Coordinates of all heavy atoms in Angstrom, one line a residue:
S1 N 136.6 87.0 27.3 CA 135.7 86.6 28.4 C 136.4 86.5 29.7 O 135.9 86.8 30.7 CB 134.9 85.4 28.0 OG 135.8 84.3 28.0
V2 N 137.7 86.0 29.6 CA 138.4 85.9 30.9 C 138.7 87.3 31.5 O 138.5 87.5 32.7 CB 139.8 85.1 30.5 CG1 140.6 85.1 31.8 CG2 139.5 83.8 30.0
M3 N 139.1 88.2 30.6 CA 139.4 89.6 31.1 C 138.1 90.2 31.6 O 138.2 91.0 32.6 CB 140.0 90.4 30.0 CG 140.5 91.7 30.4 SD 141.5 92.7 29.2 CE 140.2 93.1 28.0
L4 N 137.0 89.9 30.9 CA 135.7 90.6 31.4 C 135.4 90.1 32.8 O 134.8 90.9 33.7 CB 134.6 90.1 30.5 CG 133.2 90.7 30.7 CD1 133.3 92.3 30.6 CD2 132.2 90.2 29.8
T5 N 135.6 88.9 33.2 CA 135.2 88.3 34.5 C 136.1 89.0 35.6 O 135.6 89.3 36.7 CB 135.5 86.8 34.6 OG1 136.9 86.5 34.4 CG2 134.7 86.0 33.7
H6 N 137.4 89.3 35.3 CA 138.2 90.1 36.2 C 137.9 91.5 36.3 O 137.8 92.2 37.4 CB 139.7 89.9 35.9 CG 140.2 88.5 35.9 ND1 140.3 87.8 37.1 CD2 140.6 87.7 34.9 CE1 140.7 86.5 36.9 NE2 140.9 86.5 35.6
L7 N 137.5 92.1 35.1 CA 137.1 93.5 35.1 C 135.9 93.8 35.9 O 135.8 94.8 36.6 CB 137.0 93.9 33.6 CG 136.7 95.5 33.4 CD1 137.8 96.3 33.9 CD2 136.4 95.7 31.9
V8 N 134.8 92.9 35.7 CA 133.6 93.2 36.5 C 133.8 93.0 37.9 O 133.3 93.8 38.8 CB 132.5 92.1 36.0 CG1 131.3 92.3 36.8 CG2 132.1 92.4 34.5
E9 N 134.7 92.0 38.3 CA 135.0 91.8 39.7 C 135.6 93.1 40.2 O 135.3 93.5 41.4 CB 135.8 90.6 39.9 CG 136.3 90.3 41.3 CD 135.2 89.8 42.1 OE1 134.1 89.4 41.7 OE2 135.4 89.8 43.4
L10 N 136.5 93.6 39.5 CA 137.2 94.8 39.9 C 136.4 96.1 40.1 O 136.4 96.9 41.1 CB 138.4 95.1 39.0 CG 139.2 96.4 39.2 CD1 140.0 96.4 40.4 CD2 140.1 96.8 38.0
M11 N 135.4 96.2 39.1 CA 134.5 97.4 39.2 C 133.4 97.4 40.2 O 133.1 98.4 40.8 CB 133.9 97.6 37.8 CG 134.9 97.9 36.7 SD 134.1 98.0 35.1 CE 133.0 99.3 35.2
F12 N 133.0 96.2 40.5 CA 131.8 96.1 41.4 C 131.9 95.4 42.8 O 131.0 95.5 43.6 CB 130.6 95.5 40.6 CG 130.1 96.2 39.3 CD1 130.5 95.8 38.0 CD2 129.4 97.4 39.4 CE1 130.2 96.5 37.0 CE2 129.1 98.1 38.4 CZ 129.4 97.6 37.0
H13 N 132.9 94.6 42.9 CA 133.1 93.8 44.1 C 134.3 94.0 44.9 O 134.6 93.3 45.8 CB 132.9 92.3 43.8 CG 131.7 92.0 43.1 ND1 131.5 91.9 41.8 CD2 130.5 91.5 43.7 CE1 130.1 91.6 41.5 NE2 129.6 91.4 42.7
V14 N 135.1 95.1 44.6 CA 136.3 95.3 45.3 C 135.9 96.5 46.3 O 135.4 97.5 46.0 CB 137.4 95.9 44.3 CG1 138.5 96.5 45.2 CG2 137.9 94.7 43.5
R15 N 136.3 96.1 47.6 CA 136.0 97.0 48.7 C 137.2 97.5 49.5 O 137.2 98.7 49.9 CB 135.0 96.4 49.6 CG 133.7 96.0 49.1 CD 132.8 97.2 48.8 NE 131.4 96.8 48.3 CZ 131.2 96.7 47.0 NH1 132.1 96.9 46.1 NH2 130.0 96.3 46.7
T16 N 138.2 96.7 49.6 CA 139.4 97.1 50.4 C 140.7 97.1 49.5 O 140.6 96.6 48.4 CB 139.5 96.0 51.5 OG1 139.9 94.8 51.0 CG2 138.3 96.0 52.4
Q17 N 141.7 97.6 50.1 CA 143.0 97.6 49.4 C 143.5 96.2 49.1 O 144.1 95.9 48.0 CB 144.0 98.5 50.2 CG 145.3 98.6 49.5 CD 146.2 99.5 50.3 OE1 146.1 99.6 51.5 NE2 147.2 100.1 49.7
K18 N 143.2 95.3 50.1 CA 143.6 93.9 49.7 C 142.8 93.2 48.6 O 143.4 92.5 47.8 CB 143.5 93.0 51.1 CG 144.0 91.7 50.9 CD 143.9 90.9 52.2 CE 144.5 89.5 52.1 NZ 144.1 88.7 50.9
D19 N 141.6 93.6 48.6 CA 140.7 93.1 47.4 C 141.3 93.6 46.1 O 141.4 92.8 45.1 CB 139.2 93.5 47.6 CG 138.6 92.8 48.8 OD1 139.1 91.8 49.2 OD2 137.5 93.4 49.2
F20 N 141.6 94.9 46.1 CA 142.2 95.4 44.9 C 143.5 94.8 44.5 O 143.7 94.5 43.4 CB 142.4 97.0 45.2 CG 142.9 97.7 44.0 CD1 142.1 98.0 42.9 CD2 144.2 98.1 43.8 CE1 142.4 98.7 41.8 CE2 144.6 98.8 42.7 CZ 143.7 99.2 41.7
S21 N 144.4 94.5 45.4 CA 145.7 93.9 45.1 C 145.5 92.4 44.7 O 146.2 91.9 43.9 CB 146.6 94.0 46.3 OG 146.1 93.3 47.4
D22 N 144.5 91.8 45.3 CA 144.2 90.4 44.9 C 143.8 90.2 43.5 O 144.2 89.1 42.9 CB 143.0 89.8 45.8 CG 143.4 89.6 47.2 OD1 144.6 89.4 47.4 OD2 142.5 89.4 48.1
I23 N 143.2 91.2 42.8 CA 142.7 91.0 41.5 C 143.6 91.7 40.4 O 143.6 91.3 39.3 CB 141.3 91.5 41.3 CG1 140.7 91.0 40.0 CG2 141.2 93.0 41.6 CD1 139.2 91.2 39.9
V24 N 144.3 92.8 40.8 CA 145.0 93.6 39.8 C 146.1 92.9 39.2 O 146.4 93.0 38.0 CB 145.4 95.0 40.4 CG1 146.5 95.6 39.5 CG2 144.2 95.9 40.7
Y25 N 146.9 92.1 40.1 CA 148.1 91.5 39.5 C 147.7 90.4 38.5 O 148.5 90.2 37.5 CB 149.0 91.0 40.6 CG 148.5 89.7 41.4 CD1 149.1 88.5 41.0 CD2 147.5 89.7 42.3 CE1 148.8 87.3 41.7 CE2 147.1 88.6 42.8 CZ 147.8 87.3 42.5 OH 147.3 86.1 43.2
I26 N 146.7 89.7 38.7 CA 146.3 88.7 37.7 C 145.5 89.3 36.5 O 145.8 88.8 35.4 CB 145.4 87.6 38.3 CG1 145.1 86.4 37.3 CG2 144.1 88.1 38.8 CD1 146.4 85.7 36.9
M27 N 144.8 90.4 36.8 CA 144.2 91.1 35.7 C 145.2 91.7 34.8 O 145.0 91.8 33.5 CB 143.3 92.1 36.2 CG 142.4 92.8 35.1 SD 141.2 94.1 35.8 CE 140.7 94.8 34.3
A28 N 146.3 92.2 35.3 CA 147.3 92.8 34.5 C 148.0 91.8 33.6 O 148.2 92.0 32.4 CB 148.5 93.4 35.4
S29 N 148.1 90.6 34.0 CA 148.7 89.5 33.2 C 147.7 89.1 32.1 O 148.1 88.9 30.9 CB 148.9 88.3 34.1 OG 149.3 87.2 33.3
V30 N 146.4 89.1 32.4 CA 145.4 88.7 31.4 C 145.3 89.8 30.4 O 145.2 89.5 29.2 CB 144.0 88.4 32.1 CG1 142.9 88.2 31.0 CG2 144.1 87.2 33.0
A31 N 145.3 91.0 30.8 CA 145.2 92.1 29.9 C 146.5 92.2 28.9 O 146.3 92.5 27.8 CB 145.1 93.5 30.7
G32 N 147.6 91.8 29.5 CA 148.8 91.7 28.7 C 148.7 90.7 27.7 O 149.1 90.8 26.4
G33 N 148.1 89.5 28.1 CA 147.9 88.4 27.1 C 147.0 88.8 26.0 O 147.2 88.5 24.8
V34 N 145.9 89.5 26.3 CA 145.0 90.1 25.2 C 145.7 91.1 24.3 O 145.5 90.9 23.1 CB 143.8 90.7 25.9 CG1 142.8 91.3 24.9 CG2 142.9 89.6 26.6
C35 N 146.5 91.9 24.9 CA 147.2 92.8 24.0 C 148.1 92.1 23.1 O 148.2 92.5 21.9 CB 148.0 93.8 24.9 SG 149.2 94.9 24.1
K36 N 148.9 91.1 23.6 CA 149.8 90.4 22.7 C 149.1 89.6 21.6 O 149.6 89.6 20.5 CB 150.6 89.5 23.6 CG 151.7 90.2 24.5 CD 152.4 89.3 25.4 CE 153.4 90.0 26.2 NZ 154.1 89.2 27.2
M37 N 147.9 89.0 22.0 CA 147.2 88.3 20.9 C 146.6 89.2 19.9 O 146.7 88.8 18.7 CB 146.0 87.5 21.7 CG 145.3 86.5 20.7 SD 144.2 85.5 21.6 CE 143.7 84.4 20.3
T38 N 146.2 90.4 20.3 CA 145.7 91.4 19.3 C 146.8 91.9 18.4 O 146.7 91.9 17.3 CB 145.1 92.6 20.1 OG1 144.1 92.1 21.0 CG2 144.6 93.7 19.1

């Protein structure tokens, strides 16, 4: 659910390069955590 909140924000609410960088670095960490838990 945590990763989903970041993914939806990335897909539908990112407009600028700064918006993209604001979310990608934390989303990468969350995705890595999901991968490790799996």
Side-chain angles (χ1 to χ4, degrees):
S1 71
V2 177
M3 189 171 68
L4 183 63
T5 61
H6 296 295
L7 183 61
V8 173
E9 178 73 12
L10 176 65
M11 293 176 62
F12 298 105
H13 298 92
V14 169
R15 297 291 183 268
T16 65
Q17 188 176 21
K18 187 179 184 306
D19 292 341
F20 184 76
S21 65
D22 282 343
I23 192 170
V24 166
Y25 77 103
I26 187 61
M27 184 177 172
S29 176
V30 174
V34 172
C35 170
K36 290 176 181 179
M37 190 170 184
T38 303

